[in-house]
């Protein structure tokens, strides 16, 4: 193992003491071991600082930094500041990586030098990380499809499972710190407009913690507002977030968010019904085959 690790794992933390242990354990259990784990605590007020300090005592690859609260964008950039690896593995502090995640993603990037970012499929969960086909979140495995989606203002790469070349950050910059949400969307849209290719592996490699599969209107509204600003920044806009929110077009956009939310609810509920029906039909087919075999 070289003194400079192949992977720097980016893990900003903020008030996650009850779930953080499982996330760090999933990094420790990786089959690919040439990594450093960069944990930047963003001014937590619970027991998170104590949890990460204890883990740092157990493994020298875990490096912990404590800062005042600055928001998600700043915390991610602080992780980058302390990172040395060739690749940056995004590991959000409440998600769980499968043991083979790093190995599969490093092998892919090593064998595909034209790809700048690779994600993976996800399996969502709320309390216990249990594999469930009905909870899989699918992403395209074709770079062109990911590119086409961003052109339509849709993000089709799993940020929480992303592995990114450090050279991409060095060439095209870090995260926008004005964005309290959608920093990943803005960053990906910015680099894809510069010709960087993004794709996803076909395997499920991350358990994605999702307290509620259908977000509240408040959460949806906040995401929509920041995503609107992220599009503006990615396209070269220079107004601050507060200035942008006072523009006429932004005020019009805010009036449509409730309609967008109702439309989203309809689409998500329909998808869940269709997926459950598909799995039920598959199970009934297998059951009938077994009965035919017995008879």
């Amino acid at each position: 193992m070289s003194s400079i690790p192949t992977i720097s794992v980016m893990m900003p933390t903020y008030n996650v003491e009850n779930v953080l242990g499982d996330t760090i354990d999933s990094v420790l259990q990786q089959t690919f071991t040439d990594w450093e784990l960069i944990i930047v605590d963003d001014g937590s007020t619970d027991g998170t600082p104590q949890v990460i300090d204890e883990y740092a005592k157990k493994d020298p690859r875990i490096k912990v930094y404590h800062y005042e609260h600055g928001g998600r964008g700043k915390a991610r950039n602080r992780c980058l500041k302390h990172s040395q690896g060739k690749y940056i593995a995004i590991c959000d502090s409440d998600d769980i990586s499968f043991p083979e995640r790093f190995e599969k993603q490093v092998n892919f990037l090593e064998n595909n030098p034209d790809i700048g970012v690779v994600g993976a499929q996800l399996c969502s969960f709320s309390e216990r990380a249990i594999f469930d086909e009905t909870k899989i979140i699918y992403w395209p495995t074709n770079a062109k499809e990911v590119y086409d989606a961003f052109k339509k203002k849709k993000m089709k790469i799993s940020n929480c499972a992303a592995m990114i070349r450090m050279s991409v950050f060095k060439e095209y910059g870090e995260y926008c710190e004005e964005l309290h949400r959608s920093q990943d969307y803005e960053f990906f849209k910015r680099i894809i407009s510069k010709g960087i290719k993004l794709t996803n592996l076909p395997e499920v490699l991350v358990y994605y913690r999702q307290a509620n599969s259908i977000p509240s209107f408040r959460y949806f509204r906040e995401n929509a507002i920041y995503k609107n600003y992220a599009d503006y920044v990615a396209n070269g806009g220079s107004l601050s977030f507060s200035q942008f929110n006072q523009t006429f077009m932004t005020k019009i956009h805010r009036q449509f968010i409730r309609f967008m939310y109702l439309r989203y609810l309809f689409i998500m509920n329909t998808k869940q019904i269709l997926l459950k029906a598909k799995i039920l039909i598959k199970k009934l087919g297998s059951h009938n085959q077994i009965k035919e075999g017995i008879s």
Side-chain angles (χ1 to χ4, degrees):
M1 188 180 297
S2 64
S3 58
I4 298 178
T6 301
I7 301 171
S8 291
V9 183
M10 173 190 290
M11 189 181 293
T13 61
Y14 181 70
N15 290 350
V16 285
E17 64 172 323
N18 294 327
V19 298
L20 181 58
D22 289 340
T23 302
I24 297 176
D25 286 340
S26 75
V27 175
L28 291 169
Q29 293 163 8
Q30 290 295 305
T31 56
F32 187 93
T33 59
D34 187 16
W35 51 259
E36 63 175 357
L37 173 54
I38 306 298
I39 305 179
V40 165
D41 186 64
D42 190 33
S44 290
T45 57
D46 66 355
T48 297
Q50 291 73 35
V51 172
I52 59 180
D53 285 344
E54 284 302 311
Y55 269 98
K57 293 176 184 177
K58 299 174 184 178
D59 195 313
R61 295 174 297 176
I62 301 176
K63 302 168 184 178
V64 170
Y65 303 91
H66 299 274
Y67 287 93
E68 73 287 351
H69 186 64
R72 295 183 183 185
K74 185 169 286 188
R76 290 192 184 280
N77 287 342
R78 284 168 169 166
C79 284
L80 286 172
K81 173 186 173 183
H82 295 291
S83 296
Q84 303 179 74
K86 180 180 179 181
Y87 303 115
I88 300 295
I90 308 297
C91 284
D92 288 344
S93 56
D94 57 350
D95 299 326
I96 299 172
S97 294
F98 285 34
E100 66 275 16
R101 177 195 162 186
F102 292 175
E103 182 179 1
K104 287 181 179 294
Q105 290 184 312
V106 167
N107 287 341
F108 179 85
L109 289 174
E110 289 289 318
N111 291 313
N112 295 273
D114 61 318
I115 301 295
V117 183
V118 63
Q121 312 305 310
L122 310 176
C123 182
S124 67
F125 75 104
S126 56
E127 295 180 4
R128 295 181 61 195
I130 300 175
F131 189 82
D132 182 345
E133 284 188 30
T134 67
K135 301 295 184 180
I136 294 177
I137 303 172
Y138 291 100
W139 304 92
T141 56
N142 179 282
K144 185 180 184 305
E145 193 173 342
V146 175
Y147 173 83
D148 290 342
F150 271 98
K151 296 290 283 185
K152 299 175 182 177
K153 299 184 179 183
K154 296 180 180 179
M155 182 166 149
K156 291 295 182 179
I157 185 164
S158 51
N159 178 66
C160 68
M163 185 173 286
I164 307 167
R165 296 183 190 275
M166 175 65 91
S167 59
V168 173
F169 285 108
K170 289 181 177 179
E171 186 167 358
Y172 299 106
E174 302 175 336
Y175 294 98
C176 173
E177 295 185 1
E178 283 234 47
L179 286 163
H180 288 237
R181 294 192 183 277
S182 298
Q183 309 95 347
D184 48 357
Y185 171 78
E186 186 277 327
F187 174 74
F188 289 146
K189 185 167 185 178
R190 185 184 349 134
I191 65 173
I192 210 168
S193 69
K194 303 296 184 181
I196 300 299
K197 293 181 179 180
L198 290 68
T199 191
N200 298 285
L201 295 180
E203 300 95 337
V204 178
L205 295 179
V206 170
Y207 282 116
Y208 171 60
R209 190 180 298 272
Q210 200 170 28
N212 187 348
S213 59
I214 303 297
S216 66
F217 173 67
R218 180 179 178 181
Y219 180 89
F220 183 90
R221 180 178 58 191
E222 185 177 337
N223 269 356
I225 291 170
Y226 276 111
K227 184 172 179 289
N228 194 32
Y229 182 63
D231 280 315
Y232 170 77
V233 172
N235 291 326
S238 58
L239 292 178
S240 68
F241 180 68
S242 59
Q243 290 172 330
F244 179 76
N245 275 333
Q246 297 305 311
T247 63
F248 175 75
M249 291 305 297
T250 300
K251 291 178 179 179
I252 293 296
H253 174 260
R254 293 168 77 101
Q255 299 302 315
F256 282 96
I257 292 178
R258 186 173 296 276
F259 166 76
M260 292 161 56
Y261 181 65
L262 293 174
R263 178 176 177 272
Y264 173 82
L265 288 180
F266 175 77
I267 292 172
M268 291 301 295
N269 284 323
T270 301
K271 282 184 177 180
Q272 288 187 5
I273 291 170
L274 291 175
L275 180 58
K276 288 179 180 180
K278 181 179 178 181
I279 292 172
L280 179 60
I281 291 170
K282 183 178 178 181
K283 287 181 178 179
L284 288 173
S286 299
H287 179 69
N288 289 336
Q289 286 180 355
I290 292 172
K291 286 182 66 178
E292 290 174 3
I294 293 174
S295 60

